[in-house]
Amino acid sequence: MNNSQKDWFTDWFNTKYYHILYKNRDDSDAQLFMRNITDFLKLPLTTHILDLPCGKGRHAVFLNKLGYKVTGGDLSKNSIQSAKKFENDSLHFKVHDMRKPFRQNYDAIFNLFTSFGYFDDDKEDVLILDNIKQGLNKDGYFVFDFMNVLKVKNNLVEKEVKEIDGISFNIQREIVDGFIQKHISFNADNEDHSYTERVKYLESEKLISYFKEVGFSIEHIFGDYDLSSFTNNSNRLILVAK
Ligand SMILES: C[S@@+](CC[C@H](N)C(=O)[O-])C[C@H]1O[C@@H](n2cnc3c(N)ncnc32)[C@H](O)[C@@H]1O
């Protein structure tokens, strides 16, 4: 992919409207997940965790509160600027494109809340996993939290209007050409806006084959933030690899 072209994820995630639309996402679930997974993996407090991509840092800040040294990276300059207000001696944020290799290694890398599958070419998805594999210290864990596409397909809400902060977001969803697409249109600040989120329809078998391609071994598969087992009806698909 030509990195200079404007990709949907560069644009949309960098807007204030993305954060307004998703402001109601459940942070208590995210915190419960971070507590559960760090306990389950018995991650010592000396672990340096990379949260990639971190958005405005909701997981990174909480992991740091739990006592970990945390670095958050994200492509969105606006999100990193906002996250930087939480920085301290053991919490840092930087702009980073996950298609690029890292300058240093980490003890654990977390990719959370469907932050994968944005690219047309499968090679780019594999490249991201390869960068993560190369960026892990020996025996380091990779925690990957994706949607369960089977559940999304079976429960697809094709049309919906969400009223948030005085904005009417018109949302249309479809599965087309191997992507789950969410078309979002609204009027805000006296302008019409429209964006399309495009995330690859990736079933567990395909994801696991990507992981194996870069040399990861899958240690655990969970279906939700409470670390319940994965089934076709699970809310999430969570892979833990080494
Ligand atoms: C669905 S959000 C999740 C963010 C965060 N993990 C959370 O739970 O709030 C996906 C994030 O991926 C970031 N992103 C998209 N493409 C990226 C890339 N190539 N490199 C790094 N970050 C990227 C976006 O800026 C956005 O913050």
Side-chain angles (χ1 to χ4, degrees):
M1 182 183 293
N2 173 4
N3 285 348
S4 64
Q5 84 193 34
K6 263 281 192 195
D7 303 295
W8 72 264
F9 46 85
T10 311
D11 227 4
W12 169 232
F13 290 129
N14 208 34
T15 66
K16 65 177 178 186
Y17 306 115
Y18 160 71
H19 294 285
I20 294 173
L21 178 59
Y22 287 95
K23 73 187 281 188
N24 297 330
R25 70 187 149 198
D26 196 339
D27 277 357
S28 62
D29 256 15
Q31 298 188 357
L32 178 84
F33 179 37
M34 293 301 92
R35 216 182 268 282
N36 286 345
I37 198 76
T38 50
D39 278 356
F40 179 85
L41 297 176
K42 298 188 173 53
L43 289 185
L45 289 179
T46 50
T47 307
H48 184 184
I49 302 173
L50 173 66
D51 178 13
L52 179 78
C54 62
K56 287 184 174 179
R58 63 195 182 116
H59 297 94
V61 170
F62 185 71
L63 286 165
N64 182 248
K65 281 197 180 125
L66 291 179
Y68 294 102
K69 178 177 179 187
V70 184
T71 300
D74 200 287
L75 186 65
S76 161
K77 290 188 182 122
N78 289 341
S79 292
I80 290 299
Q81 195 182 14
S82 162
K84 271 185 173 289
K85 63 177 175 285
F86 301 111
E87 280 189 333
N88 60 43
D89 286 350
S90 56
L91 176 63
H92 295 97
F93 292 98
K94 55 185 171 194
V95 173
H96 180 81
D97 186 330
M98 58 187 167
R99 288 167 292 185
K100 304 262 164 62
F102 313 131
R103 295 227 168 91
Q104 69 174 100
N105 279 31
Y106 299 89
D107 304 313
I109 300 181
F110 289 7
N111 177 283
L112 305 171
F113 199 59
T114 317
S115 296
F116 190 79
Y118 299 157
F119 313 107
D120 286 320
D121 190 344
D122 288 2
K123 280 191 195 131
E124 275 192 304
D125 293 328
V126 175
L127 172 73
I128 289 168
L129 293 177
D130 196 38
N131 287 337
I132 290 172
K133 180 82 176 67
Q134 300 309 321
L136 275 172
N137 287 328
K138 190 172 174 297
D139 289 329
Y141 281 112
F142 175 40
V143 176
F144 176 83
D145 160 33
F146 198 64
M147 63 182 151
N148 175 12
V149 293
L150 293 171
K151 173 123 185 197
V152 173
K153 184 170 75 177
N154 293 336
N155 297 277
L156 198 75
V157 179
E158 287 179 5
K159 282 192 181 173
E160 189 181 10
V161 179
K162 284 192 176 176
E163 305 279 347
I164 308 171
D165 288 0
I167 302 175
S168 292
F169 291 95
N170 294 289
I171 299 172
Q172 291 191 35
R173 298 181 182 85
E174 59 180 351
I175 299 178
V176 83
D177 294 337
F179 281 81
I180 297 174
Q181 299 200 146
K182 190 164 162 184
H183 305 285
I184 302 154
S185 57
F186 52 93
N187 184 283
D189 298 319
N190 299 318
E191 264 185 64
D192 287 330
H193 302 261
S194 92
Y195 296 93
T196 297
E197 288 182 4
R198 244 176 132 248
V199 179
K200 209 171 274 173
Y201 186 93
L202 288 167
E203 290 187 11
S204 57
E205 294 78 11
K206 176 99 182 217
L207 279 167
I208 290 170
S209 76
Y210 282 174
F211 273 54
K212 292 198 171 145
E213 199 173 323
V214 302
F216 271 127
S217 72
I218 310 282
E219 305 276 309
H220 308 281
I221 304 180
F222 301 114
D224 213 334
Y225 298 138
D226 59 4
L227 308 190
S228 50
S229 303
F230 178 77
T231 68
N232 286 350
N233 202 34
S234 291
N235 288 325
R236 308 295 301 167
L237 170 64
I238 297 165
L239 303 178
V240 177
K242 257 191 177 180

